[in-house]
Amino acid sequence: MTPTPQALLTYSEGTLLRAGRPHQVLAGTLHYFRVHPDQWHDRLERLAAMGLNTVDTYIAWNFHERRTGEHRFDGWRDIERFVRTAQRTGLDVIVRPGPYICAEWDNGGLPAWLTDRPGMRPRSSYAPYLEEVARWFDVLIPRIAGLQAARGGPVVAVQVENEYGSYGDDHAYMRWVHDALAGRGVTELLYTADGPTELMLDGGSLPGVLATATLGSRADQAAQLLRTRRSGEPFLCAEFWNGWFDHWGEKHHTRSVGSAAAALDEILAKGGSVSLYPAHGGTNFGLWAGANHADGALQPTVTSYDSDAPIAEHGAPTPKFHAFRDRLLAATGAAERELPRSRPLLAPRSLPLTRGARLLTALEAVSDTVASPHPLSFGQLGQSSGLVLYRAHPVLPPGASELTVTGLHDRAQVFVDGAAVGVLERETASLTVEGTGRAVRLELLVENQGRINYGPLLGQGKGILGGVRVERRLVHHWTMRSLPLDEWTADDLARATAAVGEAAPLGEAASGFATAQFDAEGSGDTFLAFPGSGKGFVWINDFLLGRYWNIGPQTTLYVPAPLVTPGANRLTLLELEGFGDHVELRTGPELGPPEEYIETFS
């Protein structure tokens, strides 16, 4: 029998050891799925230059298995390339494979095809859920195991699930995940991570498995709590929230350098290990941004995941970077590493928009219809994200009637005979429509604004989950058009933009498609702004960059240099509300009016 390899990281009498010697893990979070792969090396070099010795990353299951059984580990999804790049940079690697990751990522990383399955109970001992996790781990974990330190790789630790104590108390499930990792070859340090409260640690920790804390403040209290529960274990802050993410319609969350640095000092002074969350946030490209739910309202996350991190979304070192580097280098005595050179920026300019097809005309050009007596959800249509256009032909009585959508997830633009009559949100899904006693063409364009990634509503479906009523009468016989924008090909996008139909004149703030062109001498980073436009989606050279929305806080969308082609470039906008007459390339991020935010646990 082959002996089990010795883990590189171990602990004894409250001290963390690396190869038997006292060690502090000084890590920073960087998610490969939020950084263009051509920039992985640059961003990892910046982590190392800050004085970190480790990078940690989640693995987003839904990023690799969009459809059941179709696994991808190429290109942007080449997790092994990312880990090897970190190793060449001189960093250890911590892998957090979930299966649930939160991370403000759509559906907390769980595939929509899984949670849309009727009766599914994620993050529990529910057998159909465990069967799917087992299949996924059969594919994923051997790849991670092959990158462990014992096999010559940089992976020194693997997390068991993620902050489970904030969700449930199914200890059999947590033990199952632990054993599933170990049984597939994980021999390096295994650990759990939870908020530093009795409630959360009771639900998420496992006997015999290192328990760590996630926090933004009060590190001394967290360390004391863990010592009272696990006297022989070292203190490891698995996530130190030195900034915070943003929701649409709120302010841009920041954390002052002084506050963040003082909290980091508190951890380091006790000899604790830490992972900066995030060290570099990156971007929720495409439609991968998740959402929260609080006080009865959905809180969709913005496209940027800058999170006021020490390394900004576009890679720039911030004042927080320099303050952290001073402390990290002092803690280790390591020599200062040189920062990579900054990428060039494109020259600022204003780009006129050329209008294409109007909204409904364009969307019909790239979709087929599915008919049903009742409106179908995204899950029933086999669609994870984007838009669905619902159409029916009810008779509207003469005068005013109340139109109500039950189970609207998340937002619907309502059209009667092609004319926009209002917008419904999931919290206020009713409006008044006028009728004349005849049948009308009723259309609802429903947008999935991001699947909930945290809390008991994880896995909630999208689309129309109930029914549509005119007063008390249900509307039947619907056709649906699936519009998975993040799966559109270049041909789909071109077909929508050029759909036959009357384009709106420039002076009219109509919705639909529009394009803009610019030339670039070489490549460089830039930042897109949309003055005068309302809410929509933007592609650069057929790559879906993300959402924009004039309610803020985010004003500009980051465009990484690898997406810019030397020579001609094309921007395509799908505007849902009303266009301005131009877009702008700017030379810096504009993430909105700041608001100091520090997460605490009471």
Side-chain angles (χ1 to χ4, degrees), residues 518 526 528 538-545 559 563-565 569-572:
F518 69 92
T526 190
L528 282 179
V538 59
W539 289 256
I540 178 167
N541 299 329
D542 306 322
F543 176 85
L544 179 56
L545 195 63
V559 182
L563 296 178
V564 178
T565 302
N569 290 266
R570 176 187 179 93
L571 300 172
T572 304

Side-chain angles (χ1 to χ4, degrees), residues 31 33-34 58 60 62 99-111 115 122-123 161-164 166-167 239 244-247 277 284 287-294 297-302 305 410 426 448-462 547:
H31 300 142
F33 44 81
R34 284 186 162 119
Y58 285 122
N62 54 6
Y100 162 82
I101 64 171
C102 184
E104 292 71 57
W105 189 253
D106 189 70
N107 217 31
L110 299 177
T115 56
R123 304 186 75 190
E161 236 268 1
N162 184 58
E163 294 183 320
Y164 186 71
S166 302
Y167 181 82
E239 292 182 13
W244 203 250
F245 56 91
D246 295 337
H247 297 129
Y277 191 96
N284 295 311
L287 304 180
W288 288 114
N292 291 98
H293 190 275
L298 187 76
Q299 301 168 307
T301 301
V302 302
Y305 200 66
D410 299 307
R426 59 190 278 162
N448 168 359
Q449 295 188 301
R451 291 177 183 256
I452 293 170
N453 54 257
Y454 179 83
L457 299 184
L458 175 73
Q460 225 178 40
K462 294 296 182 178
R547 291 180 169 91

